[in-house]
Short mmCIF file of all heavy atoms in Angstrom, two decimals:
data_model
loop_
_atom_site.label_atom_id
_atom_site.label_comp_id
_atom_site.label_asym_id
_atom_site.label_seq_id
_atom_site.Cartn_x
_atom_site.Cartn_y
_atom_site.Cartn_z
N MET R 1 -20.66 25.94 -17.04
CA MET R 1 -20.96 25.05 -16.02
C MET R 1 -19.90 23.98 -15.71
O MET R 1 -19.33 23.45 -16.59
CB MET R 1 -22.28 24.29 -16.46
CG MET R 1 -22.95 23.48 -15.36
SD MET R 1 -24.57 24.23 -14.78
CE MET R 1 -25.01 22.95 -13.64
N ILE R 2 -19.59 23.96 -14.54
CA ILE R 2 -18.54 22.98 -14.13
C ILE R 2 -19.10 21.82 -13.39
O ILE R 2 -19.79 21.97 -12.39
CB ILE R 2 -17.47 23.75 -13.30
CG1 ILE R 2 -16.86 24.98 -14.04
CG2 ILE R 2 -16.37 22.76 -12.85
CD1 ILE R 2 -16.12 25.82 -13.16
N PHE R 3 -18.76 20.69 -13.94
CA PHE R 3 -19.09 19.39 -13.28
C PHE R 3 -17.97 18.98 -12.40
O PHE R 3 -16.85 18.78 -12.93
CB PHE R 3 -19.58 18.38 -14.25
CG PHE R 3 -20.88 18.63 -14.94
CD1 PHE R 3 -20.97 19.31 -16.07
CD2 PHE R 3 -22.06 18.31 -14.33
CE1 PHE R 3 -22.22 19.53 -16.74
CE2 PHE R 3 -23.30 18.50 -14.80
CZ PHE R 3 -23.36 19.16 -16.08
N LYS R 4 -18.27 18.68 -11.22
CA LYS R 4 -17.18 18.10 -10.32
C LYS R 4 -17.40 16.61 -10.27
O LYS R 4 -18.37 16.19 -9.87
CB LYS R 4 -17.20 18.70 -9.01
CG LYS R 4 -16.46 20.00 -8.88
CD LYS R 4 -16.18 20.46 -7.45
CE LYS R 4 -15.29 21.74 -7.41
NZ LYS R 4 -15.14 22.23 -6.07
N LYS R 5 -16.37 15.93 -10.61
CA LYS R 5 -16.37 14.48 -10.39
C LYS R 5 -15.88 14.03 -9.10
O LYS R 5 -14.88 14.66 -8.67
CB LYS R 5 -15.55 13.81 -11.53
CG LYS R 5 -16.30 13.67 -12.85
CD LYS R 5 -15.36 12.87 -13.83
CE LYS R 5 -16.04 12.74 -15.18
NZ LYS R 5 -15.12 12.12 -16.17
N LYS R 6 -16.57 13.14 -8.53
CA LYS R 6 -16.13 12.60 -7.30
C LYS R 6 -14.89 11.68 -7.46
O LYS R 6 -15.02 10.77 -8.30
CB LYS R 6 -17.23 11.93 -6.51
CG LYS R 6 -17.94 12.76 -5.61
CD LYS R 6 -18.80 11.90 -4.72
CE LYS R 6 -19.64 12.74 -3.75
NZ LYS R 6 -20.55 12.01 -3.03
N LYS R 7 -13.89 11.96 -6.81
CA LYS R 7 -12.66 11.05 -7.00
C LYS R 7 -12.36 10.45 -5.60
O LYS R 7 -12.35 11.19 -4.62
CB LYS R 7 -11.51 11.86 -7.51
CG LYS R 7 -11.38 11.80 -9.04
CD LYS R 7 -10.02 12.29 -9.37
CE LYS R 7 -9.71 12.08 -10.85
NZ LYS R 7 -8.51 12.61 -11.26
N ILE R 8 -12.15 9.20 -5.59
CA ILE R 8 -11.65 8.69 -4.32
C ILE R 8 -10.25 7.99 -4.68
O ILE R 8 -10.04 7.50 -5.72
CB ILE R 8 -12.69 7.55 -3.88
CG1 ILE R 8 -13.05 6.61 -4.88
CG2 ILE R 8 -13.72 8.25 -3.04
CD1 ILE R 8 -13.81 5.43 -4.27
N THR R 9 -9.50 8.20 -3.67
CA THR R 9 -8.07 7.58 -3.81
C THR R 9 -7.88 6.40 -2.93
O THR R 9 -8.19 6.55 -1.72
CB THR R 9 -7.00 8.71 -3.53
OG1 THR R 9 -7.32 9.86 -4.33
CG2 THR R 9 -5.60 8.20 -3.85
N LEU R 10 -7.57 5.40 -3.52
CA LEU R 10 -7.25 4.19 -2.74
C LEU R 10 -5.73 4.08 -2.60
O LEU R 10 -5.04 4.11 -3.63
CB LEU R 10 -7.82 2.89 -3.38
CG LEU R 10 -9.27 2.77 -3.53
CD1 LEU R 10 -9.69 1.56 -4.40
CD2 LEU R 10 -9.96 2.53 -2.13
N GLU R 11 -5.32 3.94 -1.42
CA GLU R 11 -3.87 3.84 -1.14
C GLU R 11 -3.49 2.38 -0.82
O GLU R 11 -4.19 1.72 -0.01
CB GLU R 11 -3.48 4.81 -0.04
CG GLU R 11 -3.50 6.23 -0.58
CD GLU R 11 -3.06 7.20 0.53
OE1 GLU R 11 -3.69 7.26 1.60
OE2 GLU R 11 -1.95 7.86 0.28
N TYR R 12 -2.47 2.01 -1.39
CA TYR R 12 -2.01 0.59 -1.07
C TYR R 12 -0.54 0.61 -0.57
O TYR R 12 0.21 1.54 -0.79
CB TYR R 12 -2.00 -0.22 -2.42
CG TYR R 12 -3.33 -0.50 -2.91
CD1 TYR R 12 -3.93 0.28 -3.94
CD2 TYR R 12 -4.12 -1.56 -2.34
CE1 TYR R 12 -5.22 -0.01 -4.39
CE2 TYR R 12 -5.40 -1.75 -2.82
CZ TYR R 12 -5.93 -1.06 -3.85
OH TYR R 12 -7.19 -1.29 -4.32
N THR R 13 -0.27 -0.43 0.24
CA THR R 13 1.05 -0.57 0.74
C THR R 13 1.54 -1.88 0.21
O THR R 13 0.91 -2.95 0.28
CB THR R 13 1.04 -0.53 2.31
OG1 THR R 13 0.50 0.64 2.69
CG2 THR R 13 2.43 -0.76 2.89
N VAL R 14 2.79 -1.88 -0.23
CA VAL R 14 3.41 -3.12 -0.65
C VAL R 14 4.47 -3.53 0.30
O VAL R 14 5.42 -2.75 0.51
CB VAL R 14 4.01 -3.12 -2.08
CG1 VAL R 14 4.65 -4.41 -2.54
CG2 VAL R 14 2.90 -2.77 -3.08
N GLU R 15 4.39 -4.68 0.93
CA GLU R 15 5.44 -5.13 1.87
C GLU R 15 6.22 -6.22 1.18
O GLU R 15 5.76 -7.04 0.47
CB GLU R 15 4.74 -5.77 3.11
CG GLU R 15 3.91 -4.84 3.87
CD GLU R 15 3.19 -5.53 5.03
OE1 GLU R 15 3.47 -6.71 5.31
OE2 GLU R 15 2.39 -4.86 5.69
N LYS R 16 7.47 -6.21 1.49
CA LYS R 16 8.32 -7.26 0.96
C LYS R 16 9.19 -7.83 2.08
O LYS R 16 9.76 -7.11 2.89
CB LYS R 16 9.24 -6.63 -0.13
CG LYS R 16 9.93 -7.73 -0.99
CD LYS R 16 10.71 -7.10 -2.10
CE LYS R 16 11.39 -8.06 -2.97
NZ LYS R 16 12.15 -7.48 -4.12
N CYS R 17 9.32 -9.17 2.02
CA CYS R 17 10.21 -9.83 3.01
C CYS R 17 11.59 -9.68 2.61
O CYS R 17 12.02 -9.89 1.51
CB CYS R 17 9.83 -11.30 3.12
SG CYS R 17 10.84 -12.25 4.15
N SER R 18 12.47 -9.21 3.58
CA SER R 18 13.85 -9.02 3.23
C SER R 18 14.62 -10.38 3.20
O SER R 18 15.70 -10.42 2.72
CB SER R 18 14.49 -8.12 4.35
OG SER R 18 14.22 -8.61 5.59
N LYS R 19 13.96 -11.44 3.66
CA LYS R 19 14.73 -12.72 3.63
C LYS R 19 14.38 -13.56 2.49
O LYS R 19 15.23 -14.02 1.73
CB LYS R 19 14.29 -13.50 4.90
CG LYS R 19 15.45 -14.09 5.63
CD LYS R 19 15.03 -14.70 6.97
CE LYS R 19 16.11 -15.51 7.61
NZ LYS R 19 15.65 -16.09 8.87
N CYS R 20 13.11 -13.81 2.24
CA CYS R 20 12.65 -14.71 1.11
C CYS R 20 12.14 -13.95 -0.09
O CYS R 20 11.91 -14.50 -1.17
CB CYS R 20 11.65 -15.74 1.59
SG CYS R 20 10.06 -15.11 1.99
N GLY R 21 11.86 -12.56 0.06
CA GLY R 21 11.47 -11.83 -1.06
C GLY R 21 10.01 -11.78 -1.48
O GLY R 21 9.57 -11.34 -2.44
N VAL R 22 9.19 -12.51 -0.66
CA VAL R 22 7.77 -12.58 -0.89
C VAL R 22 7.17 -11.17 -0.73
O VAL R 22 7.57 -10.33 0.04
CB VAL R 22 7.10 -13.58 0.18
CG1 VAL R 22 6.40 -13.02 1.30
CG2 VAL R 22 6.11 -14.41 -0.58
N GLU R 23 6.24 -10.86 -1.67
CA GLU R 23 5.61 -9.51 -1.66
C GLU R 23 4.13 -9.60 -1.34
O GLU R 23 3.48 -10.62 -1.73
CB GLU R 23 5.77 -8.91 -3.06
CG GLU R 23 7.02 -8.16 -3.22
CD GLU R 23 7.22 -7.40 -4.55
OE1 GLU R 23 6.24 -6.76 -4.92
OE2 GLU R 23 8.26 -7.58 -5.21
N GLU R 24 3.68 -8.61 -0.63
CA GLU R 24 2.25 -8.66 -0.25
C GLU R 24 1.73 -7.23 -0.47
O GLU R 24 2.23 -6.30 0.08
CB GLU R 24 2.18 -9.15 1.23
CG GLU R 24 0.92 -9.80 1.57
CD GLU R 24 0.89 -10.26 2.93
OE1 GLU R 24 0.49 -9.54 3.87
OE2 GLU R 24 1.16 -11.52 3.10
N LYS R 25 0.61 -7.23 -1.10
CA LYS R 25 -0.01 -5.88 -1.27
C LYS R 25 -1.29 -5.83 -0.40
O LYS R 25 -2.06 -6.72 -0.38
CB LYS R 25 -0.44 -5.79 -2.85
CG LYS R 25 -1.09 -4.49 -3.17
CD LYS R 25 -1.48 -4.53 -4.61
CE LYS R 25 -2.55 -3.53 -5.00
NZ LYS R 25 -3.09 -3.72 -6.36
N ARG R 26 -1.45 -4.74 0.28
CA ARG R 26 -2.61 -4.59 1.09
C ARG R 26 -2.97 -3.16 1.06
O ARG R 26 -2.25 -2.25 0.66
CB ARG R 26 -2.25 -5.11 2.61
CG ARG R 26 -1.13 -4.30 3.29
CD ARG R 26 -1.11 -4.62 4.79
NE ARG R 26 0.08 -4.11 5.31
CZ ARG R 26 0.19 -2.80 5.79
NH1 ARG R 26 -0.83 -2.03 5.62
NH2 ARG R 26 1.32 -2.42 6.46
N LYS R 27 -4.06 -2.91 1.75
CA LYS R 27 -4.52 -1.52 1.89
C LYS R 27 -3.73 -0.68 2.80
O LYS R 27 -3.31 -1.26 3.86
CB LYS R 27 -5.98 -1.50 2.34
CG LYS R 27 -7.01 -1.67 1.18
CD LYS R 27 -8.33 -1.15 1.53
CE LYS R 27 -9.26 -1.18 0.34
NZ LYS R 27 -10.64 -1.02 0.65
N TYR R 28 -3.49 0.48 2.45
CA TYR R 28 -2.65 1.34 3.29
C TYR R 28 -3.43 1.60 4.59
O TYR R 28 -4.62 1.82 4.64
CB TYR R 28 -2.49 2.72 2.54
CG TYR R 28 -1.87 3.70 3.31
CD1 TYR R 28 -0.39 3.75 3.50
CD2 TYR R 28 -2.53 4.76 4.03
CE1 TYR R 28 0.21 4.75 4.28
CE2 TYR R 28 -1.93 5.71 4.80
CZ TYR R 28 -0.53 5.71 4.92
OH TYR R 28 0.04 6.67 5.67
N SER R 29 -2.72 1.59 5.64
CA SER R 29 -3.25 2.04 6.98
C SER R 29 -2.41 3.07 7.52
O SER R 29 -1.20 3.13 7.31
CB SER R 29 -3.38 0.80 7.83
OG SER R 29 -2.10 0.25 8.23
N GLU R 30 -3.06 3.96 8.32
CA GLU R 30 -2.38 5.11 8.86
C GLU R 30 -1.13 4.57 9.69
O GLU R 30 -1.19 3.60 10.51
CB GLU R 30 -3.28 5.86 9.76
CG GLU R 30 -3.53 7.22 9.18
CD GLU R 30 -4.44 8.09 10.09
OE1 GLU R 30 -3.91 8.45 11.21
OE2 GLU R 30 -5.58 8.22 9.78
N GLY R 31 -0.03 5.31 9.50
CA GLY R 31 1.14 4.90 10.25
C GLY R 31 2.19 4.08 9.47
O GLY R 31 3.25 3.93 9.92
N ASP R 32 1.71 3.77 8.29
CA ASP R 32 2.72 3.02 7.37
C ASP R 32 3.76 3.99 6.90
O ASP R 32 3.49 5.08 6.39
CB ASP R 32 1.96 2.47 6.15
CG ASP R 32 1.17 1.25 6.44
OD1 ASP R 32 1.24 0.68 7.56
OD2 ASP R 32 0.41 0.74 5.60
N VAL R 33 4.96 3.66 7.08
CA VAL R 33 6.05 4.53 6.67
C VAL R 33 7.02 3.71 5.78
O VAL R 33 7.30 2.54 6.09
CB VAL R 33 6.91 5.00 7.91
CG1 VAL R 33 8.07 5.83 7.47
CG2 VAL R 33 6.05 5.70 8.92
N LEU R 34 7.37 4.30 4.66
CA LEU R 34 8.22 3.66 3.72
C LEU R 34 9.43 3.18 4.37
O LEU R 34 10.14 3.81 5.09
CB LEU R 34 8.47 4.66 2.59
CG LEU R 34 8.89 4.11 1.15
CD1 LEU R 34 7.78 3.21 0.65
CD2 LEU R 34 9.12 5.23 0.23
N PHE R 35 9.93 1.92 3.98
CA PHE R 35 11.13 1.32 4.43
C PHE R 35 11.11 0.97 5.93
O PHE R 35 12.24 0.79 6.50
CB PHE R 35 12.41 2.06 3.96
CG PHE R 35 12.44 2.30 2.52
CD1 PHE R 35 12.58 3.64 1.99
CD2 PHE R 35 12.30 1.28 1.60
CE1 PHE R 35 12.65 3.87 0.63
CE2 PHE R 35 12.35 1.54 0.29
CZ PHE R 35 12.51 2.78 -0.26
N SER R 36 9.95 0.99 6.48
CA SER R 36 9.99 0.60 7.87
C SER R 36 9.56 -0.91 8.04
O SER R 36 8.88 -1.41 7.21
CB SER R 36 9.05 1.50 8.71
OG SER R 36 7.76 1.24 8.36
N GLN R 37 10.00 -1.48 9.02
CA GLN R 37 9.56 -2.97 9.25
C GLN R 37 8.24 -2.97 9.90
O GLN R 37 8.09 -2.23 10.89
CB GLN R 37 10.63 -3.71 10.03
CG GLN R 37 11.92 -3.84 9.24
CD GLN R 37 12.93 -4.67 10.02
OE1 GLN R 37 12.94 -4.66 11.25
NE2 GLN R 37 13.86 -5.27 9.34
N CYS R 38 7.39 -3.80 9.47
CA CYS R 38 6.10 -3.69 10.05
C CYS R 38 5.49 -5.02 10.60
O CYS R 38 4.85 -5.00 11.58
CB CYS R 38 5.07 -3.16 8.94
SG CYS R 38 5.27 -3.87 7.42
N SER R 39 5.76 -6.10 9.88
CA SER R 39 5.10 -7.27 10.41
C SER R 39 6.03 -8.50 10.08
O SER R 39 7.07 -8.41 9.32
CB SER R 39 3.77 -7.61 9.76
OG SER R 39 3.86 -7.54 8.32
N LYS R 40 5.70 -9.65 10.55
CA LYS R 40 6.44 -10.78 10.31
C LYS R 40 6.07 -11.56 9.01
O LYS R 40 4.84 -11.50 8.69
CB LYS R 40 6.38 -11.83 11.40
CG LYS R 40 7.46 -11.74 12.48
CD LYS R 40 7.56 -13.01 13.18
CE LYS R 40 9.00 -13.23 13.74
NZ LYS R 40 9.14 -14.55 14.46
N CYS R 41 6.95 -12.09 8.24
CA CYS R 41 6.65 -12.84 7.02
C CYS R 41 5.85 -14.08 7.36
O CYS R 41 6.09 -14.73 8.38
CB CYS R 41 7.95 -13.13 6.30
SG CYS R 41 7.69 -14.12 4.85
N THR R 42 4.92 -14.40 6.48
CA THR R 42 4.11 -15.51 6.68
C THR R 42 4.80 -16.86 6.14
O THR R 42 4.46 -17.99 6.54
CB THR R 42 2.72 -15.47 6.05
OG1 THR R 42 2.91 -15.00 4.70
CG2 THR R 42 1.90 -14.49 6.83
N SER R 43 5.75 -16.69 5.35
CA SER R 43 6.51 -17.85 4.76
C SER R 43 7.69 -18.18 5.32
O SER R 43 8.21 -19.28 5.23
CB SER R 43 6.77 -17.66 3.20
OG SER R 43 5.76 -16.88 2.63
N CYS R 44 8.37 -17.27 5.97
CA CYS R 44 9.64 -17.57 6.76
C CYS R 44 9.58 -16.72 7.99
O CYS R 44 8.59 -16.17 8.32
CB CYS R 44 10.83 -17.31 5.84
SG CYS R 44 11.21 -15.57 5.66
N ASP R 45 10.74 -16.73 8.76
CA ASP R 45 10.69 -15.98 9.97
C ASP R 45 11.33 -14.57 9.82
O ASP R 45 11.74 -13.97 10.80
CB ASP R 45 11.31 -16.76 11.15
CG ASP R 45 12.76 -17.12 10.85
OD1 ASP R 45 13.16 -16.91 9.67
OD2 ASP R 45 13.46 -17.63 11.76
N GLY R 46 11.41 -14.12 8.55
CA GLY R 46 11.97 -12.79 8.30
C GLY R 46 10.95 -11.68 8.60
O GLY R 46 9.82 -11.92 8.98
N MET R 47 11.49 -10.51 8.39
CA MET R 47 10.60 -9.33 8.63
C MET R 47 10.16 -8.66 7.35
O MET R 47 10.93 -8.58 6.38
CB MET R 47 11.37 -8.26 9.47
CG MET R 47 11.56 -8.60 10.95
SD MET R 47 10.00 -8.74 11.85
CE MET R 47 9.45 -7.10 11.89
N MET R 48 8.88 -8.31 7.29
CA MET R 48 8.41 -7.71 6.13
C MET R 48 8.80 -6.16 6.18
O MET R 48 8.57 -5.59 7.31
CB MET R 48 6.87 -7.88 6.03
CG MET R 48 6.33 -9.21 6.01
SD MET R 48 6.62 -10.09 4.48
CE MET R 48 5.36 -9.41 3.45
N MET R 49 9.14 -5.57 5.14
CA MET R 49 9.45 -4.19 5.05
C MET R 49 8.57 -3.55 4.01
O MET R 49 8.34 -4.07 2.99
CB MET R 49 10.93 -4.01 4.69
CG MET R 49 11.52 -2.73 4.95
SD MET R 49 13.28 -2.59 4.52
CE MET R 49 13.09 -2.39 2.67
N ILE R 50 8.20 -2.33 4.45
CA ILE R 50 7.29 -1.64 3.43
C ILE R 50 8.18 -1.11 2.24
O ILE R 50 9.12 -0.33 2.43
CB ILE R 50 6.55 -0.48 4.11
CG1 ILE R 50 5.58 -0.97 5.15
CG2 ILE R 50 5.84 0.46 3.07
CD1 ILE R 50 4.87 0.06 5.97
N GLU R 51 7.88 -1.56 1.07
CA GLU R 51 8.73 -1.28 -0.11
C GLU R 51 8.14 -0.13 -0.95
O GLU R 51 8.82 0.60 -1.50
CB GLU R 51 8.86 -2.51 -0.99
CG GLU R 51 10.08 -2.38 -1.86
CD GLU R 51 10.07 -3.51 -2.86
OE1 GLU R 51 9.17 -3.82 -3.51
OE2 GLU R 51 11.18 -4.05 -3.09
N LYS R 52 6.76 -0.17 -0.95
CA LYS R 52 6.12 0.86 -1.82
C LYS R 52 4.84 1.30 -1.27
O LYS R 52 4.02 0.47 -0.66
CB LYS R 52 5.89 0.20 -3.16
CG LYS R 52 5.88 1.12 -4.30
CD LYS R 52 6.04 0.51 -5.64
CE LYS R 52 5.36 -0.81 -5.97
NZ LYS R 52 5.48 -1.23 -7.25
N ILE R 53 4.48 2.56 -1.31
CA ILE R 53 3.16 3.06 -1.00
C ILE R 53 2.64 3.76 -2.18
O ILE R 53 3.36 4.66 -2.72
CB ILE R 53 3.18 3.90 0.27
CG1 ILE R 53 3.61 3.16 1.49
CG2 ILE R 53 1.85 4.65 0.52
CD1 ILE R 53 3.87 3.99 2.78
N PHE R 54 1.50 3.41 -2.73
CA PHE R 54 1.09 4.12 -3.92
C PHE R 54 -0.45 4.28 -3.81
O PHE R 54 -1.18 3.60 -3.08
CB PHE R 54 1.48 3.35 -5.17
CG PHE R 54 0.87 2.04 -5.31
CD1 PHE R 54 -0.26 1.86 -6.11
CD2 PHE R 54 1.40 0.93 -4.66
CE1 PHE R 54 -0.77 0.64 -6.29
CE2 PHE R 54 0.90 -0.33 -4.79
CZ PHE R 54 -0.24 -0.61 -5.66
N GLY R 55 -0.97 5.17 -4.59
CA GLY R 55 -2.42 5.46 -4.66
C GLY R 55 -2.95 5.26 -6.00
O GLY R 55 -2.31 5.55 -6.99
N GLU R 56 -4.22 4.79 -6.04
CA GLU R 56 -4.83 4.63 -7.26
C GLU R 56 -6.17 5.43 -7.13
O GLU R 56 -6.94 5.29 -6.16
CB GLU R 56 -5.25 3.10 -7.50
CG GLU R 56 -4.17 2.36 -7.97
CD GLU R 56 -4.49 0.91 -8.24
OE1 GLU R 56 -5.69 0.51 -7.92
OE2 GLU R 56 -3.61 0.11 -8.45
N SER R 57 -6.37 6.29 -8.05
CA SER R 57 -7.62 7.09 -7.95
C SER R 57 -8.69 6.56 -8.89
O SER R 57 -8.43 6.17 -10.04
CB SER R 57 -7.36 8.62 -8.21
OG SER R 57 -6.42 8.74 -9.24
N LEU R 58 -9.88 6.52 -8.36
CA LEU R 58 -11.01 6.11 -9.09
C LEU R 58 -11.98 7.17 -9.25
O LEU R 58 -12.21 7.95 -8.33
CB LEU R 58 -11.69 4.94 -8.32
CG LEU R 58 -10.91 3.66 -8.05
CD1 LEU R 58 -11.67 2.71 -7.24
CD2 LEU R 58 -10.57 2.93 -9.36
N GLU R 59 -12.60 7.24 -10.42
CA GLU R 59 -13.70 8.24 -10.65
C GLU R 59 -15.03 7.53 -10.34
O GLU R 59 -15.24 6.49 -10.89
CB GLU R 59 -13.63 8.87 -11.98
CG GLU R 59 -12.43 9.87 -12.07
CD GLU R 59 -12.34 10.49 -13.49
OE1 GLU R 59 -13.33 10.30 -14.25
OE2 GLU R 59 -11.33 11.09 -13.77
N GLN R 60 -15.80 8.29 -9.71
CA GLN R 60 -17.23 7.74 -9.52
C GLN R 60 -18.18 8.56 -10.23
O GLN R 60 -18.17 9.75 -10.28
CB GLN R 60 -17.48 7.60 -8.08
CG GLN R 60 -16.96 6.40 -7.37
CD GLN R 60 -17.55 6.17 -5.96
OE1 GLN R 60 -17.95 7.19 -5.35
NE2 GLN R 60 -17.71 4.96 -5.48
ZN1 ZN Z 101 9.98 -14.33 4.17
#
């Protein structure tokens, strides 16, 4: 008998400001591309760059 566990994967995107170095972790959204500039930094007027995209899997 094989039991199948439900697994959900949560994907996160880490953005980093190229100017002041502030990091922000948020949920991955479609269209996020590694090392692309996506939004403005909230602490300075620099641009946030996607530094890391990673997934965490949870078992339910
Ligand atoms: Zn900044």
Side-chain angles (χ1 to χ4, degrees):
M1 192 108 174
I2 300 166
F3 286 97
K4 273 194 176 172
K5 275 185 180 170
K6 266 193 183 174
K7 265 193 174 180
I8 45 168
T9 307
L10 292 171
E11 287 183 299
Y12 291 100
T13 300
V14 178
E15 295 176 7
K16 193 177 182 180
C17 176
S18 51
K19 225 173 172 182
C20 70
V22 98
E23 275 184 47
E24 209 174 83
K25 182 181 157 188
R26 60 166 172 84
K27 274 199 175 167
Y28 174 83
S29 64
E30 245 184 70
D32 282 353
V33 181
L34 204 59
F35 304 128
S36 69
Q37 291 182 336
C38 46
S39 57
K40 263 202 155 184
C41 176
T42 49
S43 330
C44 73
D45 60 351
M47 286 298 287
M48 303 287 284
M49 197 179 78
I50 294 178
E51 200 190 48
K52 207 164 42 174
I53 294 172
F54 65 99
E56 279 176 6
S57 39
L58 297 173
E59 280 180 18
Q60 271 193 337

